[in-house]
Amino acid sequence: MTAALHLAYWQTTTIKVLVVMGVIPLGALVLAYVFLLKMMSHMQSRLGPMEAGPHGVLQLLADAGKFLQKEDVFPERADRAVFALAPVVVLMSAFLLYVVIPAGPRLTVSNLDTGVFFALAVSSLSVLGVLMAGWSSANKYSLIGALRAAGQLIAYELPLVLGVVGVVIQAGTMSLQGIVQAQAHGALLGFKTLGEPYILPQALGFVLFIVGAQAELTQTPFDMPLAETELVAGYMVEYTGFRFLFFFMAEFGTAFAFAAIGATLFLGGWYVPGVHGTAADVLGPFVLGAKIMLVSFFIFWFRFTYPRFREDQLQAVAWKYLIPLALVNILVTGLLKVVV
Amino acid sequence: MAELPGLIKGLGVTLRTMLRPAVTVQYPHEKETPPTRSRGVIALKEENCTVCMLCARSCPDWCIYIEGHKDKAPPRREGGKPRTIQLLDRFDIDYGLCMYCGICVEVCPFDALFWSPEYEYSEVSIAELLHDKERLGDWMKTVPEPLALEAGAEVKKGAKN
Amino acid sequence: MAVVTEFQKAAYVAGQAADARVNVEIEAEGMTLNIGPQHPATHGTLRIVVRLDGEQVVWAEPVCGYMHRGYEKLTEVRTYPQVTTLVNRIDWLGSFANEVPFILAAEKLMDVEAPPRAQWIRTALFELGRLANITLFLGDMGVQLGALTPVFYAFRDREHVLNLIEAATGGRFHPNYDRIGGLKEDLPKGWVTEVKSAMSRIRTFCDEMEDLLVGNEIFETRTRGIGLVPAAVGLEYGLSGANIRASGVDWDIRRDEDSPLAWKHCDWKVWTHPDGDCFARYWVRLQEVREATKIVEQLLDGLPSGPIQAKVPRIIKVPAGEAWVHTDNPLGEMGYYVVSKGGLGPFRTKIRTPSFSNISILPWLLRGVYVPDVITILASLYFILGDIDR
């Protein structure tokens, strides 16, 4: 910890937990407002919510208030315990993602040596919650949605992980903090001052990561588990009130976390050229925030433009194109690493 | 020049739209004016009504309720017989039933019914959608002048154009 | 006491049997899934019972009648001028096109013919109704496939067409503008120039859809080769309109049959597509919208002057007789078989609606496809619930 401030372990832990608990709803709110409400509306040549607050900034708070007031409905034949637990599991996986994301040289909950591995592992925890939700709802649509989700998330975990492996090889570490440092100290074509954001050497990895993240987040074109027009809302069909709010928050919280991981892995995370030390700690969160917005812009841009695949086509895309591409990417990166 | 892949072109379309102003009209704050011919609400010119019941009979869903009585009016000429006229007691249109077809306005032989493009008369209670003859008479203020016709239309005798 | 005929008894038994078939929840294997009557993809209340094996449909049966409003029976207790306001509501998106065949049938019975100007304006509004209807389809198909954006563009640009219909007729969705022997009133001044600018907007919309959907690789993988209807099968099931033209059958009532309406004076093309899949149906409709804008423009350029109303008695009584008139409506072939016994209203009306015949192919078409394809096929057949159930 810092030289000036000596806090006990429990104190730092409490602060970290509080910050993470604050960041998730905030991140989810910001993403949902900026992209879901505003960007999507303007892409469809409408204005979106305008009444709650200036330009509708308070709309989501009003929605949250509405959700909290709603009756907590359980379907008659639902498995009550599992049904109640499922949204919590999904939200939990979103929370755990934030543990390893660095927002500055020292601003991180826990700088695990296996940071990337940890993040991708806990992100797939949400599948469990989705399966629980789909099964316990006692609804055929939910069940189909949950099974699709399981199949899809397993298929896309692979290109996601393999796409990231290129970065890990190039940085030589699995720690997210280490990857940021490696990008900061890297040299792109001999220029040392700017560092080396891995989006340039790992462009293919970045594309794979975005596609994989899109599928992990079950966003169009990979939103079959939800598929409003086919499965109504997939595994979420039977949820109302604050349990639905949990799913909603988890969806955007995870999107925020994935954008953060993408920004960290490929855009240099909190690093901005020329800023070091304590200044980087102060500036870091803002820089990271801006980069997150950039990555999420792309994620949501695809979401609002494309139609969705069919389940079997999605599997075909993953196994026939993305995974071989990722393997080639790893091969080339490894060869260059050895040669250079 | 090679064609761009469709995936990229689609992204271009949404991005272009995003940068253009939205088409939304913020309804309670700004309003669109409906065209003059819009069938918004029916206005009643009470003095023209002769209680002939044609409108009530031709209404496809029977949403017009009319009651009237006969009365004597002073003769037109000095020394003539007193005239018999029909006076309107009740003229209600139930907008909860009305299909806005406009047949009543068309069949009225004495020009007592008019369309007005006014549309803001929603009510909390469905019973209040029954407009009585005073309320229908109030709508007369909003009735626009009939529009000039497109070139090539047959000009009716006596119509200004 | 009403006498129950043998036919009615048989119909009742058949109905019970159909109910029993679709009400069986669990059979030997697979899962029975009710798509609808409350389902976002059925835009209305169509219910489709499918039996699934995994995600594959083994057996499917559409169940309609959830929105039956009894228009055929209602026409028997309404006068001829009142019927047009009812039939407006059958296909509520292209409603002007609904009243035209009925009015033509009544005119045929009465042996009057509307003056040319009225026929030209009718045809132009008929095509505007087609535009309002199919524009929405072009966007809606995107929504059914998961792309949210196109439908908002469709709503945005359809608004121009609806405004035009409202400016001329007074009603956005329910124009009620046709009269026996003519029209309610002539067009308002300046309408023709407004139409021209709206038509170019619709063509821009078509280009946008081509960029956003038709050229999109994901859209193509979702629609190419899905829901294949060979021409022979389609004809057997009574498919009509764009659905059968997408199977390569070059048949359009507007061009092939002589009608008092003004299509014969215009230069336009009937588009067909050899494939017969969902993509072909979308593509054919896209071209149809473009052709319709051309037809409207040509009609308004050559609009003859003169009266818009033929001489008809004030109280319309139609002489006894029977007449059948069909036209190529936005959804397909729509026809009215009007039987008159000389009264104020029809004695019997049979309404042939395109959607009802179009969805009758579903049990054949849905066998063996995946659940997402069910939605694609439903969207591409393009039915309007009011048009199925009447």
Side-chain angles (χ1 to χ4, degrees), chain A residues 205-284:
Chain A
F206 182 67
V207 171
L208 289 170
F209 178 84
I210 289 283
V211 173
Q214 202 87 335
E216 282 280 314
L217 298 169
T218 62
Q219 303 222 20
T220 333
F222 306 107
D223 69 335
M224 304 73 163
L226 296 173
E228 310 90 47
T229 44
E230 294 159 24
L231 301 181
V232 195
Y235 57 85
M236 288 203 251
V237 157
E238 298 286 0
Y239 284 91
T240 58
F242 73 98
R243 291 184 206 284
F244 177 79
L245 190 65
F246 273 19
F247 274 121
F248 188 80
M249 230 156 74
E251 184 187 342
F252 284 90
T254 322
F256 194 74
F258 264 97
I261 293 170
T264 307
L265 291 179
F266 295 97
L267 297 176
W270 48 263
Y271 175 72
V272 59
V275 182
H276 299 284
T278 317
D281 265 334
V282 178
L283 219 57

Side-chain angles (χ1 to χ4, degrees), chain B residues 43-104:
Chain B
L44 169 72
K45 199 171 185 180
E46 204 190 324
E47 57 267 34
N48 280 6
C49 180
T50 60
V51 202
C52 67
M53 303 273 180
L54 265 182
C55 50
R57 270 192 295 167
S58 65
C59 177
D61 40 10
W62 306 295
C63 68
I64 304 179
Y65 308 96
I66 303 178
E67 281 164 22
H69 67 273
K70 284 200 171 100
D71 206 350
K72 296 273 188 236
R76 278 217 183 82
R77 276 176 283 114
E78 205 63 35
K81 270 199 232 161
R83 289 177 300 145
T84 310
I85 53 162
Q86 299 267 18
L87 280 187
L88 202 54
D89 294 331
R90 174 181 182 220
F91 191 105
D92 295 350
I93 296 182
D94 188 347
Y95 284 108
L97 288 177
C98 179
M99 298 210 298
Y100 298 85
C101 61
I103 292 178
C104 52

Side-chain angles (χ1 to χ4, degrees), chain C residues 7-212:
Chain C
F7 179 76
Q8 279 168 328
K9 269 186 204 159
Y12 179 77
V13 170
Q16 291 288 308
D19 257 7
R21 272 208 307 285
V22 296
N23 283 337
V24 173
E25 257 294 295
I26 299 159
E27 294 234 325
E29 52 187 302
M31 176 164 87
T32 308
L33 183 70
N34 277 302
I35 299 181
Q38 312 273 327
H39 188 278
T42 57
H43 26 130
T45 47
L46 177 68
R47 172 175 167 212
I48 297 161
V49 188
V50 290
R51 191 164 318 128
L52 299 180
D53 177 17
E55 281 223 19
Q56 209 161 20
V57 176
V58 184
W59 169 92
E61 184 159 328
V63 184
C64 52
Y66 286 89
M67 226 191 71
H68 182 60
R69 294 164 292 172
Y71 280 152
E72 287 187 8
K73 200 72 192 165
L74 271 177
T75 56
E76 296 173 18
V77 289
R78 295 288 186 280
T79 63
Y80 283 93
Q82 286 175 347
V83 169
T84 46
T85 152
L86 285 178
V87 297
N88 269 169
R89 284 151 173 84
I90 289 177
D91 156 20
W92 48 66
L93 290 180
S95 41
F96 188 84
N98 295 332
E99 46 187 69
V100 172
F102 177 78
I103 289 289
L104 288 180
E107 284 177 358
K108 203 169 167 184
L109 282 174
M110 289 179 72
D111 206 20
V112 290
E113 186 151 321
R117 186 176 169 88
Q119 303 283 22
W120 285 57
I121 295 174
R122 264 182 201 174
T123 319
L125 276 164
F126 191 102
E127 292 301 314
L128 282 182
R130 179 187 307 275
L131 286 176
N133 188 328
I134 303 186
T135 327
L136 197 60
F137 160 80
L138 295 178
D140 176 72
M141 180 94 176
V143 164
Q144 306 295 350
L145 296 178
L148 288 173
T149 310
V151 78
F152 287 97
Y153 294 173
F155 276 125
R156 179 191 68 194
D157 291 327
R158 185 183 70 143
E159 194 65 17
H160 303 302
V161 180
L162 288 182
N163 283 342
L164 290 172
I165 296 179
E166 191 183 14
T169 66
R172 291 163 74 75
F173 282 94
H174 304 132
N176 191 23
Y177 188 60
D178 269 314
R179 296 292 175 269
I180 290 175
L183 297 170
K184 186 174 143 206
E185 53 194 333
D186 210 304
L187 298 172
K189 204 169 198 127
W191 194 75
V192 171
T193 37
E194 275 176 48
V195 172
K196 294 268 168 67
S197 77
M199 289 306 106
S200 70
R201 281 220 184 98
I202 294 290
R203 278 195 289 266
T204 327
F205 165 78
C206 288
D207 296 341
E208 260 180 0
M209 282 301 114
E210 213 149 60
D211 284 351
L212 193 59

Side-chain angles (χ1 to χ4, degrees), chain A residues 40 42-46 140-141 143-144 148 220-221 223-224 228-232 303-313, chain C residues 25 31-35 39-41 52 55 143-149 152-153 156 212 216 218 221-222 226 370 372-373 375:
Chain A
M40 168 160 141
H42 283 280
M43 279 189 168
Q44 297 165 349
S45 63
R46 12 179 220 121
K140 290 168 186 170
Y141 288 108
L143 187 63
I144 297 179
R148 284 184 183 185
T220 333
D223 69 335
M224 304 73 163
E228 310 90 47
T229 44
E230 294 159 24
L231 301 181
V232 195
R303 170 174 176 170
F304 301 139
T305 306
Y306 293 152
R308 73 172 78 84
F309 279 107
R310 209 171 59 203
E311 194 64 26
D312 57 321
Q313 291 165 344
Chain C
E25 257 294 295
M31 176 164 87
T32 308
L33 183 70
N34 277 302
I35 299 181
H39 188 278
L52 299 180
E55 281 223 19
V143 164
Q144 306 295 350
L145 296 178
L148 288 173
T149 310
F152 287 97
Y153 294 173
R156 179 191 68 194
L212 193 59
N216 191 310
I218 301 176
T221 49
R222 280 301 302 280
I226 306 293
Y370 293 104
D373 292 340
I375 311 303

Side-chain angles (χ1 to χ4, degrees), chain A residues 151-190:
Chain A
Q152 164 176 347
L153 296 185
I154 288 164
Y156 275 81
E157 201 78 341
L158 271 171
L160 190 69
V161 171
L162 295 176
V164 168
V165 165
V167 170
V168 172
I169 292 174
Q170 199 168 0
T173 171
M174 267 187 150
S175 149
L176 284 169
Q177 192 67 267
I179 290 173
V180 173
Q181 296 292 354
Q183 293 184 61
H185 298 300
L188 186 66
L189 307 170

